[in-house]
Amino acid sequence: MTTTGSGEHLPPALRTEALEQLLTERGLIDPKVMNGIITEYETNVGPLNGARVVAKAWTDPDYRRRLLEDGTAAIKELGFSGPQGEHIVVVENTPSQHHVVVCTLCSCYPWPVLGLPPSWYKDPAYRSRVVREPRAVLSEMGLELADDVRITVHDSTSEVRWLVLPERPAGTEHLTEEELVPLVSRDAMVGVAKVEAP
Ligand code: FE
């Protein structure tokens, strides 16, 4: 990439601030509305939403079927929808098939169910390496998968956001939907971890 002197080497936070100021000056955005959206996603919308979706799918076979057929609609049934969640596809992890999600281009992520992405998800190293050597990257993140487990990497885009339905861990058969919710981690729904029994 060539340098044009337009400030592209400034830290992202500074560039974002400059962009916001410019858009505000031109009357294209209202900073109060912007702040409201940011606060909402920082405090109210997070992986707990996704955990509710997963726990319901684990305990309600009909819901699980609907979720895998049309993720966006099934997620909306629980009241979760909005920006960056217009088209969510849910893929199910099984003992022989593991799914993991990345955005190779930037940091596309299903906001309504997971909130804002963690920093490692935006890290260029994760974004480039998980596609080429997923097994090694997952191992470094603490997830060892047997050699006969097939790994599929899904590239999130502005069109499609992916959510992983993790495997329900053995030994949780007696737990209710409500009791399962806190077990489901954000990382398991991105596919870089498994859900562990308590
Ligand atoms: Fe992206």
Side-chain angles (χ1 to χ4, degrees), residues 165-179:
L165 174 58
E167 281 175 76
R168 179 171 176 168
T172 59
E173 294 77 13
H174 61 293
L175 297 183
T176 64
E177 182 182 335
E178 277 306 303
E179 289 168 333

Side-chain angles (χ1 to χ4, degrees), residues 32 34 46 53 63 103:
K32 274 193 219 122
M34 281 282 290
V53 170
Y63 183 76
C103 172

Side-chain angles (χ1 to χ4, degrees), residues 38-198:
I38 291 165
T39 307
E40 173 76 1
Y41 281 91
E42 278 182 342
T43 56
N44 299 334
V45 181
L48 183 60
N49 290 1
R52 291 194 184 287
V53 170
V54 169
K56 183 159 180 66
W58 282 347
T59 53
D60 180 342
D62 280 340
Y63 183 76
R64 176 180 156 276
R65 187 182 42 77
R66 293 201 297 283
L67 184 67
L68 295 172
E69 274 174 13
D70 183 346
T72 316
I75 287 165
K76 199 172 181 181
E77 279 180 42
L78 301 194
F80 311 132
S81 61
Q84 319 295 317
E86 292 87 354
H87 188 187
I88 300 178
V89 176
V90 181
V91 282
E92 183 179 41
N93 279 349
T94 70
S96 58
Q97 169 69 61
H98 187 86
H99 298 277
V100 58
V101 181
V102 65
C103 172
T104 54
L105 197 63
C106 44
S107 56
C108 298
Y109 197 70
W111 289 9
V113 276
L114 295 184
L116 300 176
S119 54
W120 58 259
Y121 187 84
K122 299 182 266 187
D123 189 330
Y126 173 78
R127 285 158 39 205
S128 59
R129 287 188 59 224
V130 76
V131 178
R132 293 198 312 266
E133 39 179 356
R135 203 172 295 272
V137 171
L138 292 174
S139 168
E140 285 165 28
M141 295 177 86
L143 178 59
E144 300 287 349
L145 293 173
D147 288 340
D148 59 351
V149 176
R150 206 175 122 208
I151 303 177
T152 307
V153 182
H154 300 275
D155 195 358
S156 274
T157 63
S158 53
E159 303 290 314
V160 179
R161 308 295 164 101
W162 300 86
L163 180 74
V164 174
L165 174 58
E167 281 175 76
R168 179 171 176 168
T172 59
E173 294 77 13
H174 61 293
L175 297 183
T176 64
E177 182 182 335
E178 277 306 303
E179 289 168 333
L180 288 165
V181 170
L183 305 184
V184 184
S185 69
R186 173 197 68 201
D187 288 4
M189 292 181 280
V190 183
V192 299
K194 288 198 180 214
V195 175
E196 306 291 341

Side-chain angles (χ1 to χ4, degrees), residues 11-23 34:
L14 207 56
R15 297 184 64 193
T16 307
E17 202 178 309
L19 189 61
E20 185 183 347
Q21 199 178 334
L22 189 66
L23 292 170
M34 281 282 290

